[in-house]
């Protein structure tokens, strides 16, 4: 798909977003929350699904300062629009980094983010430390990283929320931090927890059950609660 000047992408809320020439007015929180809730960390090379949205919420919750927490929530917001290129490759694609920075600036303008050097450094530290937490929780076959000699893991629990739960948690935290209703929120858009509960149950049964050996009720309840963020 192309327009006269640049290529554009269709977003969840129906926007035409142009990554090469990002317009802050075309950025919507629902697109970011929805996109990040379906985007898996570590390029999917982990034991179970863990979204960028959950990661963002966990980073944000480390801070009591509103501006730092808000930047922490949105620090990976660009990935909803330009995806996530793995770190070892980024150095070879400077144009990607340039576009990513332009989108980050548009997100900052859209939501009025305050990003001082101190705020950026604080979020970067939490973002780095949580890498070890995520590795320990989701990569049981990983060996020791060089990062182990530099930082300690962040003391948070990785739960692997279902996408619908991660999206809701992301949106709720934004509302809490800003004290405002969501931009373009649809009053009819009610979170159907029972539908999510049923879908998660079916998925867990298919994933964890083995022929002749169904998952115990206790184990199923534990897995279901974890996926629902309880």
């Amino acid at each position: 798909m192309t327009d006269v000047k640049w290529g554009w992408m269709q977003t969840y809320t129906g926007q035409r977003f142009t990554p090469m020439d990002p317009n802050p007015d075309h950025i919507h929180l629902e697109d970011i929350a929805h996109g990040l809730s379906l985007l898996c960390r570590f390029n999917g090379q982990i034991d179970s699904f863990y979204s960028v949205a959950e990661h963002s919420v966990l980073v944000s919750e480390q801070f009591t300062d509103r501006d730092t927490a808000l930047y922490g929530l949105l620090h990976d917001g660009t990935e909803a629009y330009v995806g996530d290129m793995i770190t070892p490759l980024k150095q070879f694609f400077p144009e990607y980094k340039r576009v990513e920075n332009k989108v980050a600036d548009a997100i900052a303008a859209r939501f009025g983010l305050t990003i001082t050097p101190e705020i950026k450094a604080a979020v970067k530290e939490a973002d780095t430390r949580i890498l070890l937490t995520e590795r320990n929780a989701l990569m049981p076959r990983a060996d020791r990283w060089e990062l182990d000699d530099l930082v300690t893991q962040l003391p948070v629990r990785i739960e692997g929320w279902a996408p619908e739960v991660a999206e809701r948690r992301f949106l709720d935290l934004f509302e809490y931090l800003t004290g405002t209703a969501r931009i373009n929120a649809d009053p009819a858009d009610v979170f159907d927890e029972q539908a999510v509960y049923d879908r998660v149950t079916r998925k867990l049964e298919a994933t964890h059950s083995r022929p002749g050996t169904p998952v115990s009720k206790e184990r199923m309840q534990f897995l279901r609660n974890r996926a629902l963020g309880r």
Side-chain angles (χ1 to χ4, degrees):
M1 297 180 181
T2 59
D3 59 17
V4 175
K5 187 176 181 181
W6 302 109
W8 54 271
M9 62 172 283
Q10 189 77 66
T11 72
Y12 171 65
T13 61
Q15 301 296 313
R16 287 192 178 194
F17 183 79
T18 308
M20 298 295 290
D21 188 24
N23 183 341
D25 291 337
H26 294 167
I27 290 174
H28 293 289
L29 185 68
E30 289 79 5
D31 289 329
I32 295 175
H34 186 75
L36 297 187
S37 75
L38 293 170
L39 188 63
C40 190
R41 287 275 287 168
F42 299 103
N43 215 30
Q45 299 301 315
I46 50 181
D47 267 12
S48 57
F49 181 77
Y50 168 63
S51 69
V52 177
E54 181 176 350
H55 162 85
S56 300
V57 169
L58 294 177
V59 169
S60 176
E61 288 179 339
Q62 301 310 300
F63 304 103
T64 56
D65 172 70
R66 179 261 187 195
D67 290 335
T68 309
L70 189 56
Y71 175 59
L73 183 65
L74 292 167
H75 77 281
D76 280 337
T78 57
E79 295 181 16
Y81 297 103
V82 299
D84 180 26
M85 182 178 290
I86 59 174
T87 301
L89 288 181
K90 281 187 179 181
Q91 60 182 312
F92 300 108
F93 295 90
E95 185 65 16
Y96 171 86
K97 187 62 181 177
R98 188 181 72 82
V99 173
E100 185 182 45
N101 287 339
K102 289 177 68 173
V103 175
D105 289 343
I107 291 173
R110 180 69 175 92
F111 299 112
L113 299 184
T114 299
I115 311 175
T116 65
E118 293 77 17
I119 287 177
K120 199 165 187 177
V123 171
K124 178 64 176 177
E125 180 183 356
D127 196 33
T128 301
R129 292 180 62 197
I130 202 173
L131 281 172
L132 295 183
T133 312
E134 293 165 343
R135 179 205 61 188
N136 293 340
L138 301 166
M139 299 177 175
R141 290 164 293 281
D143 56 12
R144 183 176 175 81
W145 292 354
E146 293 82 354
L147 196 60
D148 285 288
D149 297 323
L150 302 176
V151 297
T152 58
Q153 71 171 14
L154 206 63
V156 297
R157 181 181 175 185
I158 308 300
E159 298 184 327
W161 300 332
E164 295 93 335
V165 175
E167 182 176 351
R168 181 188 63 176
R169 289 287 190 90
F170 189 101
L171 294 169
D172 286 350
L173 184 53
F174 179 89
E175 288 188 11
Y176 172 77
L177 292 172
T178 60
T180 59
R182 285 190 277 128
I183 300 167
N184 290 340
D186 183 353
D189 183 19
V190 179
F191 179 77
D192 188 346
E193 184 158 350
Q194 184 60 49
V196 176
Y197 182 94
D198 293 340
R199 186 184 67 78
V200 168
T201 298
R202 290 193 298 271
K203 182 176 180 180
L204 290 172
E205 287 175 342
T207 302
H208 294 276
S209 295
R210 292 178 174 81
T213 311
V215 181
S216 69
K217 290 183 179 180
E218 294 77 12
R219 176 65 174 165
M220 178 59 71
Q221 189 63 45
F222 168 77
L223 293 169
R224 187 162 43 216
N225 286 343
R226 186 177 69 174
L228 290 170
R230 292 175 175 171

